[in-house]
Amino acid sequence: MIVASDRHTGFERFFLAQQPRLVAIALGWTGDRETAREAAQEALVRAHREWERVGNLDRPDAWVRRGLVNLLIDRRRTLRRDVALLQRLGPPPVVDAVTFDDRRWWNAVRSLPDRQRAVVTLYYLEDLPVAEVAEILEMAPGTVKSTLSQARAALRRVLGKDVE
């Protein structure tokens, strides 16, 4: 009978032996140490989830390496798609620099409770109508209106001016 601690000890030995090797493989593939560590970690997490099966294979190291290679291939494909999409979209729009008043405003918004902050952000920053804010946040339109009213009152107290 395998005791849970024996099983974990087996995986821990496997992890300690394989992790540096997996990072080296991923580093050779990606050229980026942090990405290599993340890929190796994900491959080992998947091995841990399946350890009862993987640990009984003749070559669990081969299984985890194949998983690592698959992760790296998927990552490369995703990066290629992202690059192609960014090329089609073109450069991002230029955003005006934040003025002092804008900074004060958004600092005040960040001090609001989460629900009020969400409503204010969607209503003012995204310029969405109350009905759409309600749909996104799964609230009744009346709740959005009252939350917006509470947020405006709080912002008036902080900013000392009209908030509409």
Side-chain angles (χ1 to χ4, degrees):
M1 179 174 158
I2 296 177
V3 180
S5 63
D6 292 341
R7 188 180 57 135
H8 290 297
T9 302
F11 180 77
E12 288 171 10
R13 278 194 303 265
F14 177 78
F15 177 92
L16 292 171
Q18 298 304 316
Q19 194 269 349
R21 294 176 176 140
L22 295 171
V23 170
I25 292 166
L27 182 58
W29 183 287
T30 66
D32 179 69
R33 188 169 302 280
E34 189 58 35
T35 300
R37 286 184 184 135
E38 288 174 11
Q41 180 178 344
E42 180 60 28
L44 286 163
V45 164
R46 290 178 182 188
H48 184 261
R49 281 190 207 127
E50 300 286 326
W51 189 244
E52 283 190 36
R53 183 175 61 79
V54 172
N56 290 316
L57 296 173
D58 289 337
R59 296 275 320 270
D61 60 318
W63 186 93
V64 77
R65 278 171 176 67
R66 181 66 197 161
L68 176 66
V69 168
N70 288 340
L71 285 167
L72 294 169
I73 289 169
D74 288 347
R75 181 183 176 279
R76 188 184 63 200
R77 286 180 186 149
T78 299
L79 287 173
R80 274 198 233 147
R81 278 193 304 265
D82 290 351
V83 166
L85 177 62
L86 289 172
Q87 287 173 341
R88 280 195 307 269
L89 293 174
V94 176
V95 178
D96 294 334
V98 176
T99 65
F100 176 74
D101 287 341
D102 290 340
R103 259 184 281 167
R104 251 183 95 219
W105 163 260
W106 289 109
N107 284 338
V109 169
R110 282 188 286 278
S111 73
L112 295 172
D114 290 343
R115 187 159 128 170
Q116 290 179 15
R117 187 177 341 152
V119 169
V120 167
T121 302
L122 292 171
Y123 185 80
Y124 287 107
L125 185 63
E126 290 290 306
D127 198 28
L128 298 176
V130 168
E132 199 167 339
V133 173
E135 182 182 342
I136 291 168
L137 297 178
E138 297 178 342
M139 299 174 156
T143 304
V144 170
K145 288 178 187 176
S146 66
T147 302
L148 195 53
S149 176
Q150 294 164 359
R152 286 177 180 143
L155 290 170
R156 271 195 289 286
R157 285 191 299 273
V158 171
L159 298 172
K161 58 181 174 181
D162 287 338
V163 177
E164 294 304 322

